[in-house]
Amino acid sequence: DVKVTQSSRYLVKRTGEKVFLECVQDMDHENMFWYRQDPGLGLRLIYFSYDVKMKEKGDIPEGYSVSREKKERFSLILESASTNQTSMYLCASATTGVGNTIYFGEGSWLTVV
Amino acid sequence: AQKVTQAQTEISVVEKEDVTLDCVYETRDTTYYLFWYKQPPSGELVFLIRRNSFDEQNEISGRYSWNFQKSTSSFNFTITASQVVDSAVYFCALKGGMRFGAGTRLTVKP
């Protein structure tokens, strides 16, 4: 079974803090994604990566950056957390190919106070 | 532009009722894939089905069935004889652009 693991399930951070959300997948997938989920807005794509050290902006990249130094790990970074970044963050991975299923982690609930 | 619309925000049914979740999509791609995912209260998204744009045959899996109609750009999901365990948020997705709909929260009451 594919496993996508997000390091933190629940986090509370202060405004202005730098926040790291870590994601690891164990199936050698080329593609990895970060989404945020907000009520009424569904899942919105923040960034995705199709290879090590490669990244592409999604629909809402502002305020975020990512890092992919190793194939299995994809990190989401909030350089200076703000209250409007309070959300559920979902990491996902998939093999290459437009039809391949995306596998999701359990999600990380981030609250910025 | 790629877009997925799930017009139903919330649906509530009584157990054993049939329920249909609507999904309408927009894409200029000629080849694309559509997905349905289930998100139970635990939060993790669970893959339900994938359908490619060349296959309009409807699919049935137990109590679940999917109706793909390219002419109306719709990919609707029906649960027959709903059960309390079906309560979840359901997302329709267009993989070509990795776009998801806003989700439909289904509540099945005993």
Side-chain angles (χ1 to χ4, degrees):
Chain A
D1 280 352
V2 176
K3 186 133 181 87
V4 180
T5 304
Q6 295 182 229
S7 57
S8 302
R9 193 86 165 102
Y10 301 96
L11 303 95
V12 179
K13 298 292 181 180
R14 294 192 181 279
T15 301
E17 272 193 77
K18 191 169 186 176
V19 181
F20 292 85
L21 299 180
E22 306 285 347
C23 176
V24 177
Q25 51 96 359
D26 65 356
M27 283 302 291
D28 204 36
H29 285 170
E30 296 85 3
N31 303 302
M32 296 188 75
F33 313 87
W34 276 106
Y35 295 87
R36 65 177 280 178
Q37 181 179 2
D38 300 288
L41 298 176
L43 276 73
R44 292 181 292 167
L45 182 64
I46 305 171
Y47 267 97
F48 68 97
S49 168
Y50 52 87
D51 203 349
V52 175
K53 296 190 187 293
M54 306 301 285
K55 61 185 179 184
E56 292 283 343
K57 293 180 181 179
D59 295 326
I60 51 164
E62 296 78 19
Y64 303 95
S65 62
V66 291
S67 172
R68 192 154 181 215
E69 296 297 317
K70 294 184 178 180
K71 193 174 186 180
E72 68 271 18
R73 187 180 297 271
F74 192 36
S75 303
L76 180 69
I77 304 156
L78 287 67
E79 295 291 342
S80 178
S82 62
T83 54
N84 63 12
Q85 292 179 309
T86 292
S87 186
M88 158 83 125
Y89 290 87
L90 284 157
C91 176
S93 74
T95 56
T96 298
V98 70
N100 288 325
T101 303
I102 302 176
Y103 296 89
F104 285 86
E106 289 185 322
S108 297
W109 288 95
L110 171 66
T111 301
V112 183
V113 298
Chain B
Q2 305 221 352
K3 188 178 176 183
V4 178
T5 302
Q6 294 179 254
Q8 304 150 307
T9 305
E10 295 193 31
I11 300 176
S12 181
V13 299
V14 177
E15 208 169 19
K16 296 185 183 176
E17 281 187 39
D18 298 347
V19 58
T20 295
L21 310 181
D22 298 332
C23 173
V24 174
Y25 62 92
E26 294 175 31
T27 180
R28 292 195 184 122
D29 294 342
T30 53
T31 300
Y32 53 89
Y33 286 76
L34 294 159
F35 295 75
W36 275 96
Y37 288 85
K38 173 181 180 180
Q39 186 180 41
S42 60
E44 187 171 353
L45 272 80
V46 177
F47 165 75
L48 294 178
I49 190 171
R50 178 183 72 196
R51 172 66 71 222
N52 76 51
S53 51
F54 297 109
D55 181 3
E56 290 193 66
Q57 196 169 18
N58 291 333
E59 181 157 341
I60 298 174
S61 175
R63 295 185 297 107
Y64 295 169
S65 62
W66 290 270
N67 184 327
F68 177 31
Q69 292 196 335
K70 218 168 173 179
S71 59
T72 56
S73 296
S74 66
F75 185 42
N76 297 336
F77 172 31
T78 297
I79 302 174
T80 304
S82 60
Q83 299 176 3
V84 173
V85 293
D86 295 327
S87 296
V89 180
Y90 290 85
F91 289 96
C92 181
L94 178 60
K95 175 68 196 304
M98 295 162 286
R99 297 310 192 263
F100 284 76
T104 298
R105 180 177 298 280
L106 172 65
T107 302
V108 181
K109 299 178 181 175

